[in-house]
Amino acid sequence: MHFNAFLFSALCVSPLAWIDAVAADSCKALADENVADLSDCCSGTLPRNETVNFNLIEISCGQRPASSGPISRLKMNSAVNCVGLVLRGDRALVASWDPVRRECWYTKAGDPPLTEAPGFLLMRYKEELEQEDCTIRVKEVEQKCQQDLAAKQTKCDQEKVADKTKCDQDKSNLETECSRKLEEQKKSCQQQCEQEKAADKAKCDQDKATLETECAKKLEDQKQSSQQRCDQEKSDEKTKCDQDKDTLRTECDKKLDDQKKEAQDQLQQCRREGQSHLGNGAWPKNEAMTNKRLAATALAYSPSDPNQLVTVDFARNIDIHDVTTAQTRRLTTMQSSDGVATSIAWHPSGQSVLVACYYGVVKIYTVGPPSTTPSIYTLLDEKKESRGMKVAFSPDGKTAVAGLEDGRVLLWDVATRTRLPLSAQDKHSAAVNGLTFSSKDGTLVTASSDKTIKFWAGGKVTQTHPLNVEVRSVAFSPSGVHLACGLQDSSIKILDAATRTQRRDLRAHASAVVDVAFSADGNALLSASEDRTVRVWSLIGDYAQTTDTDKKAQAIAVSPGGNSLAVLFDMRPMVFYAKP
């Protein structure tokens, strides 16, 4: 027997309110379309059954029908509207409510595939319940309702009469008192106003006379001072202009001489490039790996196995490659909500990798034998607040570090995976583009778009070194003695790591140097640039090997043994070289 909704209305009882009374601990969002909060629906043991309009509905949270199955979506105002599709049965057997976008995902499949969807309410139709005969209960409620209405009406009438009498008396008293006070206040204000007006007029006349005298004097003083200052500034400006012109002529003549010498050097280098071009005899291509046409967003060689390279592609797959056999095994696939990877680093033990992602996510993935599922540990999850730029492990493997787009540098204890406290004053004022550890003493150096590099020790900045141009990349030599900085102005500066003094200034490229790396023996420096070239610089000779590309290089990596080189390009397959 079905309830009569009109009868409940006549008895002053809402059908939804009766259902709530029967199941006070049930999901309110399924009983009242004005309730959008799902906290009571998602508390307690899930999944669980709910009774809605005498139908049994199984609910759970954080899931929806997978997009791979036959699903539909509708804009709806509430979870009540969404569960209505399930109750009718002609539209859906399983539905999921999204309170943020106010959408209902539904399918007629009885057991569809599900996917993780934080904040969603999943509803699955179970069965229709047998309804009880409520005639006796309805009559009892009707009688009680009539009695309560009669008593309330009598009490209300009595209170209205008493309130009206008191209100009339209060109004009369208030009007009399108000009239008296208004008359007194009017007389007092008039007297006070006349006195204040007379005093204000006298003071105003005196102030005006004083101000006119002072103003005339200040105008005359200012006129004389301005004229003197103007004459002095014109004289100083003429002197400075003459000096600047002389300095500019000297600098121009020097730059012309330097440019002429550089052009002669480049001409000699071009004559050698037939023998010094990457891909020829010195660094032939690794055709097996290059022909795999790997398109990645981050790469790194294993410090424990020089033949192993890890990459993360645009589909967020983490793959490990053997560069000698060209064999690949998949480690795992990252969550799509993390965004594409921007940087990856191996742990010195080779047993885990550290990955930074576009949406402010930094995670550790363990690396075990083939066919084993890696463990995943989240160090940072800021979801689009600040993009992760670069990550690295310290040489002893005890510390993980990440540089972010907002200039922060974050450190974690790898054993406990807890963030180490840092001073907010130590952050860069612009994006962190690169970071590197010294194998000599563990010193950390971070490079930033704020035109500085910072030296860190013990979790604190020990020195901020200005380079007066945006720093795009940084790398320590294997010995920790030298530090290479790739700059936005297309040059590479090599510093003494201990004294911070400049050792070499390589006019390396025609555009920004986005990555630098030393060879394993420290005798060569590799650089990648937005000018579509990658170069290997001899640090003990006066030559450079180069390769031209059709896309801007994004990153380079050299194997620990120094026999393998990988170059990552913007939206293009990677290129591999093998030193014979």
Side-chain angles (χ1 to χ4, degrees):
M1 173 179 173
H2 294 281
F3 290 114
N4 189 316
F6 176 79
L7 182 56
F8 274 108
S9 299
L11 297 179
C12 310
V13 178
S14 168
L16 292 178
W18 186 85
I19 293 173
D20 286 347
V22 174
D25 297 327
S26 62
C27 176
K28 292 183 178 58
L30 295 182
D32 187 350
E33 65 181 4
N34 294 319
V35 176
D37 184 11
L38 300 179
S39 59
D40 57 339
C41 306
C42 298
S43 63
T45 302
L46 293 175
R48 71 167 185 268
N49 294 332
E50 293 281 333
T51 302
V52 181
N53 291 348
F54 300 99
N55 288 271
L56 198 61
I57 303 296
E58 180 187 88
I59 68 169
S60 60
C61 292
Q63 292 181 310
R64 64 167 174 77
S67 301
S68 58
I71 65 170
S72 301
R73 289 191 291 177
L74 279 177
K75 286 287 185 180
M76 289 190 168
N77 291 329
S78 66
V80 174
N81 301 137
C82 187
V83 77
L85 298 178
V86 179
L87 297 182
R88 290 200 296 272
D90 59 334
R91 297 289 295 272
L93 292 176
V94 177
S96 187
W97 167 244
D98 180 358
V100 176
R101 297 178 179 85
R102 305 185 78 81
E103 289 185 341
C104 185
W105 299 61
Y106 62 92
T107 178
K108 293 197 71 172
D111 189 18
L114 302 178
T115 186
E116 295 295 323
F120 280 61
L121 178 66
L122 184 70
M123 300 165 282
R124 189 190 299 272
Y125 179 80
K126 302 298 289 188
E127 63 182 352
E128 183 178 4
L129 299 176
E130 183 175 354
Q131 306 175 22
E132 299 179 357
D133 186 348
C134 295
T135 304
I136 296 175
R137 173 61 178 158
V138 169
K139 289 181 178 180
E140 292 175 352
V141 173
E142 182 181 19
Q143 292 173 357
K144 181 69 169 57
C145 181
Q146 292 174 350
Q147 293 171 359
D148 291 341
L149 287 174
K152 289 180 179 179
Q153 185 62 43
T154 300
K155 183 179 180 182
C156 179
D157 293 341
Q158 294 172 349
E159 291 176 348
K160 285 166 64 178
V161 172
D163 289 345
K164 185 176 185 304
T165 301
K166 186 177 184 303
C167 179
D168 293 340
Q169 182 63 42
D170 291 343
K171 284 166 61 180
S172 177
N173 295 341
L174 184 60
E175 288 173 353
T176 301
E177 179 68 16
C178 182
S179 298
R180 183 182 65 80
K181 289 184 177 180
L182 283 174
E183 187 62 29
E184 293 176 353
Q185 187 178 30
K186 180 179 179 182
K187 292 180 180 179
S188 176
C189 287
Q190 185 65 33
Q191 293 174 356
Q192 184 179 355
C193 180
E194 293 297 333
Q195 294 173 355
E196 290 176 351
K197 284 166 61 178
D200 289 344
K201 184 177 185 306
K203 186 176 185 304
C204 179
D205 293 339
Q206 183 180 358
D207 291 344
K208 282 166 53 178
T210 303
L211 185 60
E212 288 174 354
T213 303
E214 292 178 352
C215 182
K217 183 177 182 303
K218 288 181 178 179
L219 285 174
E220 184 61 29
D221 293 343
Q222 185 180 39
K223 180 180 178 180
Q224 294 179 0
S225 176
S226 297
Q227 185 61 45
Q228 292 173 356
R229 185 167 59 252
C230 178
D231 294 339
Q232 182 63 43
E233 288 178 352
K234 288 195 298 184
S235 175
D236 294 342
E237 190 66 23
K238 184 178 183 304
T239 301
K240 184 177 183 302
C241 179
D242 294 337
Q243 293 175 348
D244 290 344
K245 287 194 294 186
D246 291 339
T247 302
L248 187 60
R249 290 191 188 97
T250 302
E251 290 178 352
C252 182
D253 292 339
K254 183 178 183 303
K255 287 182 178 180
L256 287 174
D257 292 338
D258 292 344
Q259 188 177 32
K260 181 178 179 180
K261 182 178 183 302
E262 182 178 357
Q264 293 174 347
D265 293 342
Q266 289 178 349
L267 178 61
Q268 294 176 0
Q269 178 179 334
C270 289
R271 292 169 178 171
R272 296 195 300 263
E273 279 189 347
Q275 293 77 31
S276 300
H277 199 281
L278 285 175
N280 291 338
W283 281 88
K285 270 189 181 180
N286 183 336
E287 298 291 352
M289 286 297 299
T290 300
N291 291 339
K292 293 171 72 70
R293 299 186 62 79
L294 302 173
T297 62
L299 77 167
Y301 277 95
S302 169
S304 61
D305 185 346
N307 294 325
Q308 280 194 345
L309 176 78
V310 64
T311 62
V312 188
D313 61 23
F314 288 92
R316 297 171 298 280
N317 297 312
I318 303 178
D319 295 322
I320 297 177
H321 313 273
D322 188 312
V323 297
T324 58
T325 65
Q327 293 182 345
T328 299
R329 70 179 177 98
R330 174 127 323 144
L331 179 63
T332 188
T333 298
M334 301 187 306
Q335 293 181 354
S336 59
S337 60
D338 294 347
V340 297
T342 56
S343 179
I344 188 169
W346 282 89
H347 190 271
S349 66
Q351 297 179 0
S352 63
V353 291
L354 180 65
V355 183
C357 299
Y358 189 84
Y359 291 148
V361 176
V362 178
K363 293 182 179 180
I364 292 178
Y365 297 82
T366 60
V367 178
S371 302
T372 59
T373 301
S375 298
I376 304 173
Y377 304 101
T378 300
L379 302 183
L380 182 68
D381 191 353
E382 294 189 345
K383 294 303 181 192
K384 302 185 180 181
E385 291 186 6
S386 181
R387 179 168 53 141
M389 300 291 286
K390 294 293 181 181
V391 289
F393 283 108
S394 61
D396 59 9
K398 295 180 179 180
T399 306
V401 60
L404 306 185
E405 188 178 33
D406 62 9
R408 285 179 295 160
V409 176
L410 305 181
L411 302 176
W412 290 270
D413 183 292
V414 174
T416 62
R417 295 182 292 279
T418 56
R419 191 190 295 186
L420 301 177
L422 295 175
S423 171
Q425 297 178 347
D426 286 342
K427 72 185 291 289
H428 285 278
S429 60
V432 178
N433 298 321
L435 46 85
T436 181
F437 279 99
S438 169
S439 60
K440 182 180 180 182
D441 55 13
T443 296
L444 169 65
V445 173
T446 56
S448 171
S449 295
D450 66 7
K451 303 181 182 181
T452 69
I453 56 176
K454 290 181 181 286
F455 291 80
W456 302 67
K460 296 181 180 179
V461 172
T462 59
Q463 183 183 359
T464 298
H465 186 76
L467 289 176
N468 302 319
V469 65
E470 183 177 343
V471 189
R472 297 291 300 274
S473 53
V474 65
F476 268 111
S477 64
S479 64
V481 173
H482 297 119
L483 181 69
C485 303
L487 305 181
Q488 180 70 24
D489 67 359
S490 75
S491 69
I492 301 174
K493 296 189 183 298
I494 300 179
L495 309 180
D496 185 296
T499 64
R500 321 301 197 230
T501 56
Q502 181 174 305
R503 299 296 300 273
R504 297 186 71 169
D505 185 3
L506 302 176
R507 296 298 164 179
H509 293 274
S511 189
V513 182
V514 296
D515 202 7
V516 290
F518 281 91
S519 62
D521 57 11
N523 292 331
L525 178 68
L526 297 91
S527 60
S529 170
E530 292 181 348
D531 67 359
R532 306 173 188 267
T533 66
V534 176
R535 291 183 174 177
V536 180
W537 302 84
S538 171
L539 300 181
I540 58 176
D542 58 354
Y543 66 90
Q545 298 168 327
T546 186
T547 181
D548 298 322
T549 68
D550 62 348
K551 267 291 182 181
K552 296 178 180 179
Q554 295 281 41
I556 53 176
V558 185
S559 65
N563 294 325
S564 180
L565 167 63
V567 184
L568 187 151
F569 296 99
D570 182 16
M571 304 296 291
R572 285 288 189 274
M574 297 170 57
V575 177
F576 293 82
Y577 300 93
K579 193 172 185 179

